[in-house]
Amino acid sequence: MNARKLIDMASHGEVEACGAGPIATMLILAVKMNKVNAKELIYTHSGYTSNDYDRVVGYTSIVVW
C-alpha cells in the first residue's frame, strides 16, 4: 500500500508494471479512503496460453478494501 515505494522501485527497474502510475494512484486513493487491506485473487501469465515460457506478460487481479 506504499505508492512512493512502488514508483521508486519501478523507476530503478526493481519491479516492472506497465500500469505503475495508475496502480500508485489507486494506492494513494485507497489509503486516503482508509482502505488498507489488499488480497491477490489470481496471478497468471501469457505463457500458459502461448506455451512460450521464456518471455511472458504477467496478469494479476487484486482486491482492495
Side-chain angles (χ1 to χ4, degrees):
M1 300 304 292
N2 187 329
R4 173 56 50 203
K5 184 175 181 180
L6 171 64
I7 295 300
D8 288 343
M9 291 177 72
S11 66
H12 290 100
E14 298 174 50
V15 297
E16 292 183 23
C18 60
I23 294 167
T25 300
M26 182 276 303
L27 292 174
I28 291 167
L29 291 172
V31 169
K32 285 183 182 262
M33 297 171 65
N34 201 32
K35 310 296 184 191
V36 295
N37 297 295
K39 180 179 180 181
E40 182 179 74
L41 300 177
I42 191 167
Y43 171 81
T44 190
H45 60 75
S46 59
Y48 293 123
T49 57
S50 70
N51 290 321
D52 179 358
Y53 293 91
D54 294 325
R55 295 175 25 175
V56 299
V57 175
Y59 302 91
T60 190
S61 175
I62 300 171
V63 64
V64 176
W65 74 99

